[in-house]
Amino acid sequence: MKTALITGANRGIGREVARQLGAKGFHVFVGARNAKAGRKAAAEIAKEGGKATFLEIDVSDNKSVTAAAREFSKIADHLDVLVNNAGIMLDGDDAVLKISDDILRETFETNTLGSLRVTRAFLPLLRKSEAPRVINVSSSGGQLTGGADGWAPAYCISKTALNGVTVQLAAALPKFAVNSVCPGWVRTEMGGENASRSVEEGADTIVWLASEAPQDLTGKFLRDRKEIPW
Ligand SMILES: NC(=O)c1ccc[n+]([C@@H]2O[C@H](COP(=O)([O-])OP(=O)(O)OC[C@H]3O[C@@H](n4cnc5c(N)ncnc54)[C@H](OP(=O)(O)O)[C@@H]3O)[C@@H](O)[C@H]2O)c1
């Protein structure tokens, strides 16, 4: 049975990716730092007929990530798909010349280092897959092409750096498919209720990369199943 771990899967885009992969026959590991919310999301996926296991993981905490990899290996012997979805945009992330170092650090710790940290910790399990895939949920806010408009600078810089993590991992792991995805503007707690896309639409390219995309598609930035500029 194929396995997938999605971080930040208790709500928003992550939960929808987990739901869809569960419906496709994956054993999904619902990664969440909040145990109650993670268990609830896993139970909802199981109710729909998917195989879902809650996995406690705070991507900003090395100990939590290491413990999660240990816990995972008690349940499954390989990991086919890792979706680094957990992400934050902090209050006060308003203007590049004014944001505090603390906001920058905290945002990086989760959005950028978190994804690298989780990938490293699960690498031995990913290496046991016949076709390992790592999907980093990024944002067009991190695109350098076209310049910036000043919105959420710490968040955007963290996603630019996450895209750097993607290309570095793709180079270091030639048998893997490692890609960044922009889900578009999605109606979640982060995206807000006025966003243009549903969670189903936001999850689409991520689920496609996890399950159907060619294994040799790697080191790219994608939206709507198509490559976009960095
Ligand atoms: N929504 C959009 O329009 C949009 C656009 C572009 C990119 N994205 C990206 O898509 C991803 C998902 O966003 P979303 O819109 O679904 O946001 P969301 O509804 O705010 O959900 C974020 C998820 O990440 C989790 N998370 C945050 N920090 C964590 C940590 N340290 N460890 C583990 N989990 C953590 C949250 O858990 P808690 O419930 O415990 O807080 C929550 O499950 C993010 O990477 C985001 O940057 C979103």
Side-chain angles (χ1 to χ4, degrees):
M1 194 174 196
K2 286 215 167 195
T3 56
L5 166 62
I6 303 99
T7 63
N10 53 295
R11 60 184 165 97
I13 297 167
R15 183 173 62 179
E16 178 59 18
V17 169
R19 195 188 69 75
Q20 290 189 25
L21 290 178
K24 280 182 176 286
F26 279 78
H27 179 182
V28 290
F29 286 78
V30 175
R33 58 181 169 175
N34 177 327
K36 197 173 163 204
R39 281 207 183 89
K40 185 164 173 271
E44 282 164 5
I45 294 166
K47 219 173 169 184
E48 286 186 30
K51 186 165 184 189
T53 303
F54 162 63
L55 190 71
E56 187 164 347
I57 183 165
D58 179 339
V59 305
S60 69
D61 177 355
N62 210 27
K63 272 193 190 149
S64 168
V65 170
T66 311
R70 241 188 344 258
E71 195 56 34
F72 182 104
S73 63
K74 289 182 196 161
I75 304 164
D77 62 2
H78 71 285
L79 177 61
D80 295 294
V81 175
L82 169 62
V83 182
N84 287 311
N85 166 78
I88 53 170
M89 191 190 304
L90 296 174
D91 288 344
D93 182 8
D94 299 326
V96 72
L97 297 175
K98 290 187 184 156
I99 44 172
S100 65
D101 286 0
D102 284 347
I103 284 185
L104 275 164
R105 273 197 206 98
E106 197 179 332
T107 307
F108 258 68
E109 201 59 67
T110 296
N111 295 2
T112 312
L113 299 182
S115 302
L116 180 56
R117 179 181 292 125
V118 177
T119 308
R120 277 193 192 137
F122 282 83
L123 204 55
L125 289 151
L126 284 161
R127 285 195 196 279
K128 288 186 186 154
S129 165
E130 280 173 18
R133 295 170 179 220
V134 177
I135 300 152
N136 291 329
V137 183
S138 184
S139 168
S140 56
Q143 259 174 320
L144 294 174
T145 305
D149 61 5
W151 170 77
Y155 175 80
C156 291
I157 295 168
S158 77
K159 295 295 191 180
T160 306
L162 174 61
N163 288 345
V165 168
T166 295
V167 293
Q168 290 290 335
L169 287 175
L173 300 165
K175 287 184 186 150
F176 285 43
V178 186
N179 293 289
S180 278
V181 172
C182 169
W185 187 26
V186 182
R187 290 186 293 278
T188 61
E189 275 185 40
M190 185 185 287
E193 59 190 23
N194 294 326
S196 52
R197 293 186 174 195
S198 65
V199 281
E200 288 83 356
E201 289 166 318
D204 176 73
T205 301
I206 301 167
V207 170
W208 175 73
L209 278 172
S211 55
E212 288 170 41
Q215 183 67 20
D216 62 359
L217 177 65
T218 189
K220 307 290 188 207
F221 191 14
L222 296 107
R223 182 170 51 218
D224 297 332
R225 303 189 182 195
K226 292 192 184 75
E227 193 178 343
I228 57 171
W230 297 107

